Amino acid sequence: MNAAYRERRMWAKVRSSEWWERIVLESWDGEHFKENFRVSRRTFHHICEQLKPLTRKNFMIRRPISVKRRVAVTLVKLGSSGELRTVANLFGFARCTACIIVTEVYTALCMIFKIKFPKNSDLHEIATEFFNRSALPGCCSALDGCHIPIKAPSLNAKDYFCRKQFHSLILQAVVDGNCRFINVNVGWPRSVHDARIF
């Protein structure tokens, strides 16, 4: 084992982005892509183009992470119940890197696409979309939340300890009848009830 390889191994664990680069990008058709990322390839590329200015990073030690990969990891995390560790491993990231990426991309999505809760005048149209899609009468949105793992804070750590036996923040999101985010809220400690966050 040469010295350069040994030195590289000291600084970083060996991680693989094989799933993203060789399976998703090279072999998935549009249907499989949409099923897993919850958007079409066309919409995915549109999101990436819009977010390029806000997610461009300059790295001095390693190659920058592409905007496509950053958006993809965020979409998988927001669109699934998978733990951040699992999602990070799929893309060849450390969990802390994936956490930073998801936070940055989600913030950029809210800014660029102006994600906000609908006005009363929009509710009838949203209820019609829901009914046409799922035959649910009078439904104006779908709400769910997930845990974002964090290191235990130095103050009030017990407030952040969740039923899944780790410290976390809550991400709560609302979507309309076309599966578009209309409200996203992140940062509350796990001890706060979902109804209070809403």
Side-chain angles (χ1 to χ4, degrees), residues 96-108:
C96 59
T97 302
C99 184
I100 291 166
I101 288 170
V102 168
T103 302
E104 288 176 352
V105 172
Y106 135 79
T107 302

Side-chain angles (χ1 to χ4, degrees), residues 8-180:
R8 200 186 104 222
R9 295 270 298 156
M10 281 179 28
W11 288 99
K13 291 181 182 175
V14 175
R15 301 187 192 279
S16 172
S17 58
E18 189 89 0
W19 177 78
W20 167 248
E21 292 169 358
R22 293 187 39 112
I23 297 174
V24 175
L25 293 180
E26 293 181 11
S27 66
W28 278 9
D29 60 16
E31 187 177 330
H32 207 150
F33 188 91
K34 186 169 184 175
E35 181 184 337
N36 285 273
F37 290 95
R38 308 292 180 97
V39 296
S40 66
R41 280 188 187 272
R42 183 177 176 191
T43 301
F44 176 78
H45 291 300
H46 175 71
I47 292 169
C48 292
E49 283 301 313
Q50 295 298 311
L51 266 58
K52 261 186 189 171
L54 293 178
T55 55
R56 188 169 287 128
K57 296 282 181 182
N58 295 318
F59 289 86
M60 301 195 55
I61 298 173
R62 56 180 78 133
R63 283 180 24 220
I65 299 164
S66 72
V67 173
K68 286 182 180 180
R69 198 163 151 212
R70 294 165 63 84
V71 170
V73 74
T74 303
L75 291 177
V76 169
K77 179 57 188 153
L78 292 176
S80 73
S81 59
E83 284 188 350
L84 191 59
R85 179 185 293 109
T86 304
V87 175
N89 286 336
L90 279 174
F91 287 87
F93 294 135
R95 187 177 61 178
C96 59
T97 302
C99 184
I100 291 166
I101 288 170
V102 168
T103 302
E104 288 176 352
V105 172
Y106 135 79
T107 302
L109 282 168
C110 289
M111 285 175 52
I112 294 289
F113 293 102
K114 302 192 178 10
I115 297 172
K116 59 187 186 308
F117 210 73
K119 298 176 183 160
N120 285 341
S121 57
D122 301 328
L123 297 180
H124 179 70
E125 183 182 335
I126 294 170
T128 303
E129 290 169 356
F130 262 105
F131 186 77
N132 292 340
R133 182 177 278 254
S134 61
L136 286 172
C139 183
C140 295
S141 61
L143 169 75
D144 201 3
C146 69
H147 300 273
I148 300 177
I150 61 169
K151 288 183 181 176
S154 54
L155 296 173
N156 304 317
K158 66 181 174 62
D159 292 342
Y160 294 84
F161 196 73
C162 72
R163 61 182 162 74
K164 297 184 178 186
Q165 305 302 303
F166 58 86
H167 292 86
S168 68
L169 295 174
I170 301 172
L171 181 147
Q172 189 178 80
V174 182
V175 296
D176 66 11
N178 287 317
C179 300
R180 292 176 303 216

